[in-house]
Amino acid sequence: MKLFDLSHPIRSGMPVYPGDPQVRFESALTTADNGVEVTELHLGTHTGTHLDAPSHAAPGGQTVDQLDFTLLQGPAVILQLATAATAEQLVRLEDLAHIPDQLPSIVCLATGWDQHFHSPLRERHPYIEVDLAELFWQRGARTLGVDTLSPDPTVHHDSTFEVHQFWLSRGGIIVENLRNLTALPDRVQMSMLPLPLEGLDGSPVRAVAWTP
């Protein structure tokens, strides 16, 4: 079995979505003074590779601790682009190399934009046309994964967050800032489990994929 690590490491000063809390690690206890090491973490619920629970954009939607784990682990389809992604590209159906008629609960769009996570280009990522998101949903997907900051545009967005609104208002889950999706085959097993953060809107996840 081959395992693929799909999560960006979380570290102090790492990139975050514009306006989100900055990430800081501070020593709370040390072995020299206290006999043990303990670190205090300062970060937002949407730090690094993370999931958006429905409550992130849908008032009254499920929170992280209420999510159905069967939507976050199991068979996944990885959709590759037919050609290399470009900055601020609107990804439509015709841009995909292939899409099955029936999708499992987990579908991930691989753009390769994770290579820009540590550069200013991360905010000029490709994003998904809402009609394409609707097609994913119609074909059975309930967890949408992307290797970008968001399935909606980050630069020049109009605050409507169309894909977020469509997906999360129906009880779906969005996983953002995945990495290494372009290295995966079309079908894998995947796990993207959050911390059990009671009543909260999102959580970092340790995302992994594997093949038999």
Side-chain angles (χ1 to χ4, degrees), residues 28 37 43 69 93 143 148 169 175 212:
E37 290 284 335
L43 61 137
F69 277 5
L93 175 61
T143 297
T148 59
S169 68
V175 180

Side-chain angles (χ1 to χ4, degrees):
M1 181 175 67
K2 183 174 183 180
L3 283 172
F4 298 85
D5 186 355
L6 307 180
S7 292
H8 288 282
I10 297 177
R11 59 171 67 98
S12 288
M14 70 180 294
V16 297
Y17 191 88
D20 275 14
Q22 296 297 313
V23 180
R24 302 193 315 276
F25 296 170
E26 297 177 0
S27 177
L29 301 175
T30 66
T31 51
D33 295 334
N34 311 103
V36 293
E37 290 284 335
V38 175
T39 302
E40 185 174 351
L41 308 180
H42 297 262
L43 61 137
T45 49
H46 299 265
T47 294
T49 305
H50 67 276
L51 65 76
D52 297 348
S55 62
H56 178 51
Q62 287 181 312
T63 55
V64 170
D65 55 306
Q66 298 171 332
L67 297 178
D68 180 356
F69 277 5
T70 64
L71 301 181
L72 293 167
Q73 58 182 2
V77 162
I78 312 300
L79 300 175
Q80 308 284 348
L81 298 184
T83 59
T86 58
E88 299 176 55
Q89 177 183 352
L90 176 60
V91 178
R92 300 180 172 92
L93 175 61
E94 55 265 32
D95 297 313
L96 300 181
H98 173 69
I99 177 171
D101 292 335
Q102 184 66 35
L103 293 170
S105 292
I106 302 172
V107 63
C108 297
L109 179 64
T111 71
W113 217 254
D114 51 313
Q115 66 182 310
H116 302 301
F117 185 68
H118 292 281
S119 83
L121 269 177
R122 65 180 169 271
E123 296 183 15
R124 299 184 61 201
H125 58 82
Y127 57 97
I128 298 174
E129 182 182 47
V130 69
D131 289 348
L132 181 58
E134 291 176 3
L135 180 64
F136 293 163
W137 188 274
Q138 291 166 6
R139 295 192 180 183
R142 294 297 180 264
T143 297
L144 172 62
V146 294
D147 55 6
T148 59
L149 293 182
S150 172
D152 289 300
T154 295
V155 176
H156 307 306
H157 72 77
D158 60 4
S159 300
T160 58
F161 298 101
E162 285 187 308
V163 174
H164 277 80
Q165 290 293 337
F166 171 82
W167 204 269
L168 299 180
S169 68
R170 287 161 175 78
I173 303 167
I174 295 174
V175 180
E176 298 167 330
N177 290 326
L178 290 162
R179 65 171 184 165
N180 297 328
L181 292 182
T182 54
L184 298 180
D186 293 344
R187 293 182 181 270
V188 294
Q189 296 288 317
M190 188 175 288
S191 174
M192 303 177 289
L193 298 182
L195 297 171
L197 302 175
E198 186 172 348
L200 296 189
D201 48 85
S203 170
V205 300
R206 188 60 187 267
V208 295
W210 63 94
T211 55

